[in-house]
């Protein structure tokens, strides 16, 4: 038998966490239960609506097995009553001797509460083992609770002369390989957002090719209510949920198909949009344009990363420029990938 | 002994051609002399001012060896009297039985004249063997003679928001690895060209790191004579040859150091610049900006390829946009290379 270290058990918990899918607004969490150097069970939060990782692992064992064992869990056990009693209580009741937690709950109002329940019950608690790796399971979830707004990725397809479209026309920029990648990439976010002008000119469906029970919500920002003249857009007719964000009361009172919801914005700024989406529980947004909407987010320091697809040609005159920014923006963690003759340039925006 | 085919002998000639360096305005040419299936000698045009490839190979052999042999040569033997009698005559005098030529002379007024001398003398001549490979030895030379103007590469360093500089300021865009690459790349061209505004704002030296006897000529296009107020620029003081192209008579009458020559343009258009450089024998130009000069060449369909260096950041407001074009420009033969987090995007412009 190979002797395993604490880190190995936590790695098993992280591995287990990755078995979850469609956890939707819930984080990916994994757990690993160990006694006398033996791994007794692993568990994960498998799907939105199903049991948390701790309960999933515990359910695989008998009370005798559980008693006096140690549980490694990638995220602080929850402390609030939801569909189930909180996991921290469950761990106390299960007779664990020790709980090893990788990362604290990112919600500032909740952080440490689960730990406190465990410690108050006399359980030995250790926090921080492989915290970085565990946090990497849920970057958007962490960001959302730490910043109180969704993580926003600004995606743009530009030509070598920095253009995004022929003025007023739907303009193909990228190649088939990039189109496929974008269809896939959308599935990583909880919402796909465009401005009304883009919705009207491109008439996109904003679907993802990634299979899942929770396709991203399509969000159209239409402050002035321009969609009133374009109620036949695909986004407003079929497909998954569409939210129209507006200041226009007429639009709010318009009857739409069941998949369309109109939400009144608290104001006209990017910050108001981010706030509303945050309040609605959206943790991540893939902002696909147009440049005016993107610029509002950039200039408000509300864009977190930049995904640029570059197609090597010049679009020429009578065209729309890509997003620009008020200030110089430095990118970190840049990653360059090619898709045939197109290029994907990723970078995190350094917030000032 | 391995039996060699015609193609193998021509490949040896092409290989030999590559031994030449600093041939300046002369093409790279190689030759291979064969008799009874034996390679007797190879030769090349080794350096500007030295003998042509045919003579170089012939000089290694005795008249007895040469008589009745076959010569493989990558370019049609010359037919004009220069510093030496023409190679075509030399081949006739040397008693060759057969001459195999890869590519014809690209100069439309000369093409076929060397071949004719040989055929008139009763020598068997074959043309076209590995023509494509042989032509690839001298892309700029071929282009120059076929089009009557230099091959023009438009090089630009841009940011992700399509900017090239903060307005009126020398602005570093690319990283150290790109700077090194550009220093090297300049050495592939016979001239490095910039506009007066770029010369004044950036005060560049436009040197190459490539060692050679013929560093590229630095060309500054200054139609209006703005340099008159900036005679202390580095380009106008030291280093290799600088040509100032102007319409301004005062500039033409200004006394400069010996390395600086002022040439009067026949007109103010890109075509006039290309024509003047062509008349002066310049076969290739690396056009480094600024965007106004570059645009003039693009819109006149006088830019042949586009070398874009992209740095992944946003420069922001109060900045100068990169070159744009009147029409949509498609690129072919695109090639993408990364230099750490910077990207080099190469493409040939499809002429309409």
């Amino acid at each position: 038998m190979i002797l395993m270290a604490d880190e190995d058990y936590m790695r098993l918990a992280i591995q287990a966490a990755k078995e979850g899918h469609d956890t939707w607004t819930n984080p990916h969490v994994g757990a690993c239960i160990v006694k006398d150097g033996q791994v007794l069970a692993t568990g994960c939060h498998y799907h939105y609506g199903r049991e948390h990782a701790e309960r999933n692992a515990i359910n695989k064992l008998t009370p005798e097995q559980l008693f006096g064992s140690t549980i490694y869990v990638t995220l602080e056990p929850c402390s609030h009553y939801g569909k189930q009693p909180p996991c921290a209580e469950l761990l106390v009741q299960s007779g664990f001797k020790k709980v090893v937690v990788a990362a604290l709950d990112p919600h500032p109002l909740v952080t440490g509460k689960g730990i406190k329940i465990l410690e108050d019950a006399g359980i030995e608690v250790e926090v921080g083992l492989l915290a970085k790796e565990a946090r990497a399971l849920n970057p958007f979830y962490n960001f959302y609770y730490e910043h109180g707004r969704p993580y926003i990725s600004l995606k743009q397809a530009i030509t070598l002369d920095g253009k995004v479209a022929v003025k007023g026309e739907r303009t193909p920029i990228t190649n088939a390989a990039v189109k496929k990648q974008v269809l896939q990439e959308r599935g990583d976010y909880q919402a796909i957002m465009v401005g009304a002008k883009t919705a009207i000119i491109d008439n996109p469906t904003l679907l993802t090719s990634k299979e899942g029970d929770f396709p991203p919500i399509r969000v159209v920002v239409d402050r002035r209510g321009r969609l009133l003249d374009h109620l036949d857009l695909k986004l407003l007719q079929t497909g998954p949920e569409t939210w129209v964000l507006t200041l226009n009361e007429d639009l709010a009172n318009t009857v739409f198909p069941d998949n369309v919801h109109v939400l009144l914005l608290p104001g006209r700024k990017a910050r108001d949009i981010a706030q509303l989406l945050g309040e609605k529980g959206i943790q991540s947004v893939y902002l696909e344009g147009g440049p005016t909407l993107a610029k509002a987010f950039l200039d408000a320091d509300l864009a977190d990363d930049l995904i640029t697809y570059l197609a090597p040609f010049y679009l020429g005159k009578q065209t729309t420029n890509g997003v620009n920014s008020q200030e110089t923006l430095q990118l970190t963690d840049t990653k360059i990938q090619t898709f045939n003759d197109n290029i994907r340039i990723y970078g995190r925006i350094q917030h000032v």
Side-chain angles (χ1 to χ4, degrees), chain A:
Chain A
M1 191 186 110
I2 298 163
L3 276 177
M4 291 178 76
D6 271 1
E7 290 203 356
D8 298 316
Y9 301 127
M10 189 59 85
R11 245 177 224 116
L12 286 175
I14 291 171
Q15 212 47 50
K18 291 177 183 168
E19 289 170 28
H21 65 85
D22 290 312
T23 59
W24 187 226
T25 53
N26 285 345
H28 288 277
V29 184
C32 177
I33 299 174
V34 176
K35 194 171 174 179
D36 301 330
Q38 297 275 0
V39 174
L40 300 184
T42 61
C44 78
H45 178 51
Y46 196 69
H47 191 282
Y48 183 78
R50 284 181 57 180
E51 73 275 14
H52 286 185
E54 299 91 324
R55 191 176 299 273
N56 180 249
I58 286 167
N59 284 348
K60 295 173 181 173
L61 301 175
T62 64
E64 291 74 17
Q65 288 175 303
L66 289 168
F67 188 80
S69 66
T70 297
I71 186 166
Y72 294 80
V73 57
T74 58
L75 187 68
E76 178 178 4
C78 67
S79 56
H80 58 277
Y81 283 80
K83 292 179 192 127
Q84 311 256 353
C87 290
E89 301 281 4
L90 176 68
L91 298 192
V92 171
Q93 289 156 16
S94 302
F96 284 103
K97 189 179 70 177
K98 185 174 174 184
V99 177
V100 183
V101 171
L104 290 178
D105 190 301
H107 194 318
L109 297 179
V110 182
T111 295
K113 290 202 174 150
I115 304 294
K116 186 165 186 305
I117 292 171
L118 297 170
E119 286 180 335
D120 287 351
I123 295 175
E124 183 187 349
V125 180
E126 192 185 309
V127 176
L129 182 66
L130 299 187
K132 196 177 158 195
E133 290 85 340
R135 280 177 57 84
L137 290 167
N138 304 295
F140 296 153
Y141 173 87
N142 294 330
F143 183 94
Y144 174 75
Y145 283 106
E146 284 164 4
H147 295 81
R149 66 162 178 89
Y151 188 95
I152 297 170
S153 292
L154 203 161
K155 172 251 173 182
Q156 189 172 238
I158 58 171
T159 57
L160 260 185
D161 54 344
K163 309 294 187 176
V164 295
V166 174
K167 272 196 204 303
E169 285 180 27
R170 179 176 188 153
T171 311
I173 299 291
T174 50
N175 64 20
V178 166
K179 286 190 177 76
K180 199 172 156 190
Q181 162 71 11
V182 168
L183 276 173
Q184 185 68 14
E185 191 162 275
R186 283 181 184 145
D188 296 337
Y189 295 82
Q190 287 180 4
I192 311 299
M193 183 159 71
V194 295
K197 196 172 162 192
T198 298
I200 292 165
I201 293 173
D202 288 0
N203 193 10
T205 52
L206 301 180
L207 299 177
T208 177
S209 59
K210 206 168 182 175
E211 293 198 16
D213 298 336
F214 306 99
I217 290 163
R218 292 122 19 121
V219 176
V220 185
V221 178
D222 179 24
R223 287 169 278 214
R224 293 198 273 135
R226 282 187 275 185
L227 293 184
L228 282 167
D229 296 331
H230 300 275
L231 298 177
D232 57 343
L233 290 178
K234 291 177 195 158
L235 278 170
L236 304 179
Q237 294 297 329
T238 57
E241 216 165 310
T242 296
W243 294 355
V244 178
L245 275 42
T246 191
L247 292 162
N248 183 302
E249 299 278 349
D250 292 343
L251 195 57
N253 295 324
T254 302
V255 177
F256 282 102
D258 283 351
N259 66 314
V260 179
H261 304 275
V262 181
L263 308 179
L264 276 172
L265 281 165
R268 57 166 299 100
K269 295 192 167 167
R271 189 156 298 280
D272 300 310
I273 297 165
Q275 183 195 320
L276 179 58
L277 292 174
E279 283 166 10
K280 294 288 173 187
I282 298 293
Q283 295 170 5
S284 55
V285 176
Y286 190 67
L287 171 46
E288 296 208 37
T292 311
L293 185 62
K295 181 175 167 54
F297 279 81
L298 265 188
D299 289 345
D301 211 15
L302 287 172
D304 301 298
D305 61 33
L306 203 58
I307 301 170
T308 307
Y309 289 99
L310 183 75
F313 69 96
Y314 270 44
L315 198 55
K317 281 280 179 177
Q318 306 303 322
T319 53
T320 304
N321 284 314
V323 62
N324 56 55
S325 71
Q326 200 59 34
E327 305 293 336
T328 300
L329 291 181
Q330 298 297 338
L331 300 181
T332 60
D333 305 311
T334 50
K335 211 169 72 185
I336 298 161
Q337 285 171 275
T338 54
F339 291 82
N340 301 326
D341 69 343
N342 284 190
I343 309 170
R344 181 183 192 270
I345 303 151
Y346 169 88
R348 284 179 70 95
I349 295 170
Q350 283 200 299
H351 291 293
V352 282

